[in-house]
Each structure stands twice: as C-alpha cells, then as structure tokens.
Amino acid sequence: DTEVTQTPKHLVMGMTNKKSLKCEQHMGHRAMYWYKQKAKKPPELMFVYSYEKLSINESVPSRFSPECPNSSLLNLHLHALQPEDSALYLCASSYRGGGFDTEAFFGQGTRLTVV
Amino acid sequence: GENVEQHPSTLSVQEGDSAVIKCTYSDSASNYFPWYKQELGKGPQLIIDIRSNVGEKKDQRIAVTLNKTAKHFSLHITETQPEDSAVYFCAASQSPRETSYDKVIFGPGTSLSVIP
C-alpha cells in the first residue's frame, strides 16, 4: 500500500463555517505534511508532524489548525477562512524512521473553495 | 532557507524529441533531490530522485543529473510521448535521518507540452 488518502476531494465552505480535512496513510511513515497549492504555483509547506508531534509551522494563520491523532492520521481543521484561502490542500507522508529514508508520497488533494 | 529555481517555466516539444529541465538550489545542506510530475487535478507524483552521493540516475526514458559543486540538477526525458505532458517540479530537501522529516522545497514548476 503506497497510498495517501485525502477526504473530501472537494469542499465548498462559507467564511463562518468550521470544517476539517482528513488524511490517512498506512505505510508506517513517521512524518506527515500539509501543503497548500494555488493555481499554477508549486506546493507550499504549511505544517510538518514528525512522530506525531508538530515540528514545523510555516507561520500559518491560526484559522488553520492541524492535528495528528495517531501515526496514520492527519487532520486540518478550518475555521473562519477567507476567499483567498481557496486552494488545493495536499497531504504527504514520508520517512519510515530508524534511518530508513523513503520518498514523500502525496495524496490527490482536497480542492477547497471558500465563498 | 532553501530556494529552488527552475527553468524553463514552459516547454513545448515534438513527440519523440527530448526535454530537459534545469534547477538550481541554494542550501549546500540539501542532499536529496526529487522530481515530481503533476497532472491536472491530481497530487504530485514522484518520478525519479537522486541523492547527493550520486551524480546521475536513470530510469527508462527519464534521467537526472546532479552537480553538487555548482548546485545544479537536471531532468532529462527522452523519446517524449503525449502522456508526458504535465507540470514537472524539481525539489530539494535534507535527509530525514538528520531531521526525522523531509522539508521538501519545490521549484516553481515547468509546464511540459508534448505535441503529437
């Protein structure tokens, strides 16, 4: 199983809504990531979890709140978003630990539209 | 922090010709260089990668070269096919053995069109 699964695939939300994006992997990876990708731009790193602990927060606004409930799951909680937050949100995972490098596998993304 | 530049931003080739995409990086500590292909509406997919202890790597029609001294790396696609049309991203990161994660920094991307 070399898959990172993201749900939902599409999400439309109002600026006052609260929603969550979900990501799951069963490759035994110990690092999980959230990236944001705007149209015609490269993915930009938002958060990194390593061994279920938040290791990097790239100065992301507090209306985005990540959570790593266990080593296989990663959530991104959304609240009071702005229209400019509309983008493709990508989850990725990598690194099996113990010195065994792995490539970063990406999910298909959640296409988020804020109205 | 790491900065990755990529050229050209768009590339159009005839089917069967070769395509070359070039990247440079700024952080000498980077030691892992993946290349991703992203098709419309999909997430990035790794197509080939190279580590700093290797100068060249090949996988069928795809090859990557690395010049660590000059901080350059390149992707070469031979015998291009229409299904190679996509956006290609180069990237750089440090081995997770030091950090326990990959902080993958992407280049701006190259939109490749293969004309039948």
Side-chain angles (χ1 to χ4, degrees):
Chain A
D1 182 5
T2 58
E3 199 169 298
V4 175
T5 304
Q6 289 188 243
T7 55
K9 287 186 168 41
H10 301 275
L11 178 63
V12 179
M13 62 184 288
M15 289 189 283
T16 58
N17 291 160
K18 285 185 180 181
K19 296 286 185 183
S20 296
L21 309 185
K22 297 186 183 302
C23 175
E24 191 168 1
Q25 58 88 14
H26 296 286
M27 294 177 277
H29 288 167
R30 305 317 305 266
M32 295 186 77
Y33 315 80
W34 282 114
Y35 282 83
K36 175 182 177 179
Q37 187 177 26
K38 300 283 273 185
K40 300 189 186 301
K41 296 290 187 182
E44 290 182 1
L45 186 64
M46 300 174 71
F47 302 105
V48 179
Y49 273 83
S50 174
Y51 290 90
E52 300 161 50
K53 290 189 173 10
L54 185 64
S55 297
I56 292 181
N57 176 342
E58 293 285 31
S59 303
V60 179
S62 60
R63 56 186 184 269
F64 296 91
S65 176
E67 178 196 21
C68 189
N70 60 55
S71 60
S72 299
L73 295 174
L74 186 67
N75 298 322
L76 186 63
H77 302 298
L78 313 173
H79 173 55
L81 294 193
Q82 303 296 311
E84 58 264 30
D85 297 321
S86 298
L88 181 69
Y89 288 84
L90 294 162
C91 174
S93 71
S94 74
Y95 189 55
R96 202 163 283 124
F100 293 99
D101 294 350
T102 58
E103 64 194 69
F105 288 86
F106 282 80
Q108 295 298 292
T110 294
R111 175 73 60 190
L112 173 68
T113 303
V114 181
V115 297
Chain B
E2 177 63 273
N3 181 51
V4 179
E5 296 185 354
Q6 182 172 349
H7 300 279
S9 57
T10 59
L11 180 59
S12 189
V13 299
Q14 290 291 135
E15 182 177 359
D17 287 351
S18 295
V20 180
I21 301 170
K22 298 184 178 183
C23 290
T24 60
Y25 64 100
S26 61
D27 189 346
S28 57
S30 291
N31 55 11
Y32 174 61
F33 305 93
W35 285 87
Y36 288 89
K37 174 183 181 183
Q38 188 173 25
E39 296 174 324
L40 201 61
K42 296 188 176 182
Q45 179 187 10
L46 183 83
I47 56 171
I48 196 167
D49 57 11
I50 191 166
R51 298 192 184 274
S52 59
N53 57 350
V54 175
E56 185 172 355
K57 184 176 178 181
K58 190 173 181 181
D59 182 4
Q60 299 183 339
R61 297 186 296 109
I62 295 173
V64 59
T65 58
L66 172 65
N67 182 330
K68 210 177 169 209
T69 303
K71 296 184 189 162
H72 290 173
F73 57 117
S74 301
L75 178 73
H76 303 250
I77 306 174
T78 58
E79 300 172 19
T80 53
Q81 301 166 2
E83 51 266 38
D84 294 330
S85 296
V87 178
Y88 290 80
F89 293 102
C90 62
S93 77
Q94 294 185 33
S95 167
R97 296 183 198 189
E98 281 81 48
T99 59
S100 298
Y101 53 81
D102 286 294
K103 186 175 178 180
V104 178
I105 303 301
F106 287 82
T110 296
S111 179
L112 173 65
S113 298
V114 179
I115 304 165

